[in-house]
Amino acid sequence: MPRPPVRLLLCAVVALVLAGCSGGGEATEPTSVGTPDETGVLRVTGTDTLRWDPAALEAPAGEITFELTCEERVNHNLVVEVDGERTMVAECGPGDTAEGTLDLDPGEYPFVCTIPGHEASMRGTLTVD
């Protein structure tokens, strides 16, 4: 059986690598939804790859306590948009955790990280019932 040319193999490897890369800074669709834990705290992680984990959050209306954890290499902040106004909820450095609270009525609220260069890929949605 003849062996394929080296160029063909190299092109196939490059195509597979490129197919596995995420799309240029666009936010990804959430794969899970974060809800408050048994203590009522809504936990979210800012990853070193500039993503939210999870990117979709749900909580009951009223005072919501957020816990923001930053992975080991990058700092983040958690900013929630309410009626066109941005409210800083928490901010932490690499490897740290910070808490903040916000009183919200039912609705959908975008949240972002406003650290320069993070916002394009760090967008999520908080649904308040």
Side-chain angles (χ1 to χ4, degrees):
M1 175 181 256
R3 292 179 18 185
V6 172
R7 281 188 182 175
L8 181 60
L9 288 175
L10 183 58
C11 288
V13 169
V14 169
L16 287 172
V17 169
L18 291 176
C21 293
S22 64
E26 296 175 13
T28 57
E29 289 298 314
T31 56
S32 64
V33 176
T35 57
D37 65 13
E38 62 280 349
T39 65
V41 176
L42 188 55
R43 300 176 197 282
V44 62
T45 298
T47 71
D48 289 340
T49 57
L50 304 185
R51 300 281 185 240
W52 290 119
D53 183 21
L57 303 173
E58 292 179 354
E63 187 172 280
I64 302 168
T65 299
F66 297 84
E67 181 181 274
L68 171 62
T69 299
C70 292
E71 287 187 334
E72 296 300 314
R73 297 187 317 250
V74 182
N75 60 314
H76 297 291
N77 61 36
L78 177 65
V79 175
V80 178
E81 296 179 18
V82 181
D83 296 327
E85 298 287 323
R86 290 183 163 191
T87 301
M88 173 80 71
V89 177
E91 184 171 24
C92 61
D96 290 333
T97 298
E99 279 193 3
T101 60
L102 197 56
D103 193 4
L104 293 172
D105 293 326
E108 281 197 1
Y109 302 91
F111 64 94
V112 297
C113 176
T114 60
I115 302 290
H118 294 200
E119 190 169 343
S121 61
M122 293 190 75
R123 299 182 155 280
T125 302
L126 167 63
T127 302
V128 177
D129 297 324

